[in-house]
Amino acid sequence: VPLETVKIVLVETSHPGNIGATARAMKNMGLCRLSLVRPNQFPSSEATARASGADDVLYRAEICADLPQAIAGIPLVIGASARDRSIPWPVLTPAECARKIVANSGQAAIVFGREHSGLTNEELDLCGYLLRIPTNPHFASLNVAAAVQLAAYELRLAALAGIPTQPVRTADPPALAQELAHFYAHLEQTLVELDFLNPQKPKKLMRRLHRLFNRVELRASEVAILRGMLTAAQRAAEQKIRADE
Amino acid sequence: VPLETVKIVLVETSHPGNIGATARAMKNMGLCRLSLVRPNQFPSSEATARASGADDVLYRAEICADLPQAIAGIPLVIGASARDRSIPWPVLTPAECARKIVANSGQAAIVFGREHSGLTNEELDLCGYLLRIPTNPHFASLNVAAAVQLAAYELRLAALAGIPTQPVRTADPPALAQELAHFYAHLEQTLVELDFLNPQKPKKLMRRLHRLFNRVELRASEVAILRGMLTAAQRAAEQKIRADE
């Protein structure tokens, strides 16, 4: 998973809580390289509190004097930007950004700007691409740590996409067709014995019950529970017949 | 865009800052319905500060005494859970969760638990599906507002993708939460009368049955059929008791 080389750069962050929340968001998704360009306040107890256990990311964060220092030697630099820019620029969605970075073996940085004013045009000039996160046009400004969270989430998805997914839970396999057929026969028989189903006209009710239980994709263990319930109802119905006699 | 009907439910949130950050995350993605179940502190200046302009979402948030109140009448309820549960449960990724909600015309709630302990098993019993956000297994616990941010982001992507919505079958509407609650109570009572359920230890079996029937998204007409079956079984059980006497 090429996430450990991806660098997250925060430029002139005002609130130390956002630095801590960024560290937590990164570690939650498997990222660990954080650069802070002229942070307003760091280290800070507020950053540590909001990191909530991602102290190692904060501890290893590098402090830089400017953006060129933070991205020195990194071949792919992507700047997060909420604003429309008049100069045409290649704009990536979070998913496209993530795929590009994973395709680049994680040799990349994503740069996030100031809480209120984002990145300057001079800083954006250092970025090969813009990352734009789709938002409500009437309330577009994301918290910086929330923006990092979304970018890191898409990075994790893109990295995992190359890894085969977990096998199906064999401990609780789906019911086989034959098991389902036996269940439906048992259900029909029980409903007849309970005087709930007219054996002359079983079709309409049984069709509705088929539709209901087919939707649920029953596990084999669940069929066993349901058939146990049916057997209990049959025992009661049998006693009822004896009582009636 | 069917996002305005989607409800976000926060259960027993400790830190008011997380409530504010949730409101901001929601509004950034076009969501507006927030329910707070027994918040530790609300309203709060910290919540308002972190909402950063999403005051309207906070102002209109409803305060609920418990989860059933928050989800009353909502046909699709999805619970966020980081933990592996031993009992099988349909688990959705954030993207799957979002597609399911958009296909359901936004008639849905996503429920997020306490900062340190998540949702209880009793609360999860009220959820038809689990939402699991993929995270670093060595540092899996997301901030609650960050989890809301990711779920809301996927909802926005799904809504923008223009997935055709299911026609609302007004002739056969989904069962309401209250109808489901009555069905489960009737089921439990019947199983006790059939001597199938030990009333001293009802929990494990009833939990499995909750999960089974929650998956099926029962229609109101189907609940009526199932309850008719239960009544027939109860009549048989009653005769059985008389026969035993």
Side-chain angles (χ1 to χ4, degrees):
Chain A
V1 185
L3 296 181
E4 296 187 354
T5 54
V6 179
K7 189 183 269 194
I8 298 294
V9 183
L10 300 187
V11 177
E12 289 194 347
T13 310
S14 298
H15 299 293
N18 284 333
I19 297 174
T22 293
R24 179 175 183 179
M26 289 172 60
K27 191 171 177 182
N28 278 146
M29 296 294 149
L31 277 70
C32 54
R33 290 184 75 196
L34 176 61
S35 279
L36 304 171
V37 175
R38 294 188 300 275
N40 180 41
Q41 193 185 331
F42 188 83
S44 138
S45 60
E46 203 181 334
T48 305
R50 292 279 298 281
S52 192
D55 311 54
D56 51 334
V57 175
L58 290 181
Y59 184 78
R60 290 187 295 168
E62 60 177 19
I63 313 292
C64 297
D66 54 25
L67 182 55
Q69 187 190 342
I71 60 174
I74 295 179
L76 173 61
V77 179
I78 300 170
S81 173
R83 280 177 292 170
D84 277 317
R85 305 277 168 174
S86 54
I87 300 168
W89 218 306
V91 174
L92 305 174
T93 67
E96 290 166 345
C97 168
R99 284 195 292 267
K100 186 171 278 293
I101 288 173
V102 169
N104 215 41
S105 302
Q107 302 299 315
I110 314 180
V111 185
F112 295 84
R114 299 151 190 85
E115 280 94 336
H116 291 291
S117 55
L119 296 167
T120 65
N121 282 329
E122 291 68 34
E123 287 160 350
L124 284 169
D125 285 340
L126 300 170
C127 302
Y129 297 85
L130 290 193
L131 164 64
R132 175 139 337 129
I133 296 171
T135 53
N136 175 0
H138 306 295
F139 191 70
S141 177
L142 287 165
N143 168 267
V144 62
V148 171
Q149 181 73 72
L150 292 174
Y153 162 76
E154 287 284 9
L155 275 167
R156 185 163 193 84
L157 292 190
L160 292 174
I163 296 169
T165 52
Q166 283 183 343
V168 183
R169 286 166 296 187
T170 48
D172 196 25
L176 302 175
Q178 198 181 7
E179 292 170 326
L180 284 176
H182 289 158
F183 163 66
Y184 285 121
H186 194 171
L187 178 62
E188 182 169 344
Q189 178 60 30
T190 305
L191 294 178
V192 168
E193 291 172 22
L194 288 172
D195 294 330
F196 188 72
L197 182 69
N198 180 347
Q200 305 309 314
K201 293 181 182 174
K203 281 198 178 173
K204 194 174 171 197
L205 177 62
M206 286 311 299
R207 182 168 303 138
R208 292 220 56 176
L209 291 170
H210 269 84
R211 271 184 218 161
L212 191 166
F213 285 106
N214 277 343
R215 283 212 307 279
V216 77
E217 293 169 32
L218 289 166
R219 325 301 301 179
S221 61
E222 292 172 332
V223 169
I225 291 172
L226 291 172
R227 292 196 63 180
M229 288 163 51
L230 293 174
T231 300
Q234 283 180 306
R235 268 200 301 268
E238 197 184 342
Q239 298 290 339
K240 176 173 181 292
I241 291 162
R242 287 193 200 157
D244 289 346
E245 279 167 3
Chain B
V1 184
L3 296 181
E4 296 186 354
T5 54
V6 180
K7 191 182 265 194
I8 298 294
V9 182
L10 300 186
V11 177
E12 289 194 347
T13 310
S14 298
H15 299 294
N18 284 333
I19 297 174
T22 293
R24 181 176 182 179
M26 288 171 62
K27 190 171 178 181
N28 278 147
M29 295 296 150
L31 277 70
C32 54
R33 288 183 77 194
L34 176 61
S35 279
L36 305 172
V37 176
R38 294 189 299 274
N40 180 41
Q41 194 185 331
F42 187 81
S44 139
S45 60
E46 203 181 336
T48 306
R50 291 279 296 283
S52 194
D55 311 54
D56 51 335
V57 176
L58 289 182
Y59 183 77
R60 290 188 293 167
E62 60 176 19
I63 314 291
C64 296
D66 53 26
L67 181 55
Q69 186 187 345
I71 61 174
I74 296 179
L76 173 61
V77 179
I78 300 171
S81 174
R83 280 177 290 171
D84 278 316
R85 307 275 168 177
S86 54
I87 297 170
W89 215 310
V91 174
L92 304 174
T93 67
E96 290 166 346
C97 168
R99 283 195 294 267
K100 185 170 277 293
I101 288 173
V102 170
N104 215 40
S105 304
Q107 302 298 318
I110 314 180
V111 185
F112 295 85
R114 298 152 189 83
E115 280 93 337
H116 291 290
S117 55
L119 295 169
T120 65
N121 281 331
E122 288 68 30
E123 287 160 352
L124 284 169
D125 284 340
L126 300 170
C127 302
Y129 296 85
L130 291 192
L131 164 63
R132 178 148 327 135
I133 297 172
T135 53
N136 174 0
H138 306 296
F139 190 69
S141 175
L142 287 165
N143 169 266
V144 62
V148 172
Q149 181 72 72
L150 292 173
Y153 161 76
E154 288 284 9
L155 274 168
R156 186 164 193 83
L157 293 188
L160 291 174
I163 296 168
T165 55
Q166 281 180 347
V168 182
R169 285 170 294 186
T170 46
D172 197 21
L176 301 176
Q178 198 179 9
E179 293 170 326
L180 286 175
H182 289 157
F183 163 66
Y184 286 122
H186 193 172
L187 178 62
E188 182 167 344
Q189 178 61 29
T190 304
L191 294 178
V192 169
E193 292 173 20
L194 289 172
D195 294 331
F196 187 73
L197 181 71
N198 179 348
Q200 305 308 315
K201 293 181 180 173
K203 280 199 179 172
K204 195 172 173 198
L205 177 62
M206 286 310 300
R207 182 165 298 140
R208 292 218 56 175
L209 291 171
H210 268 85
R211 283 170 203 182
L212 190 165
F213 284 106
N214 276 346
R215 271 199 333 263
V216 78
E217 294 171 31
L218 288 167
R219 325 303 300 178
S221 61
E222 291 172 333
V223 169
I225 291 172
L226 292 172
R227 292 195 64 181
M229 289 163 51
L230 293 174
T231 300
Q234 283 181 305
R235 270 200 300 268
E238 198 183 344
Q239 297 292 337
K240 176 174 181 295
I241 290 163
R242 288 194 200 158
D244 289 347
E245 277 168 4

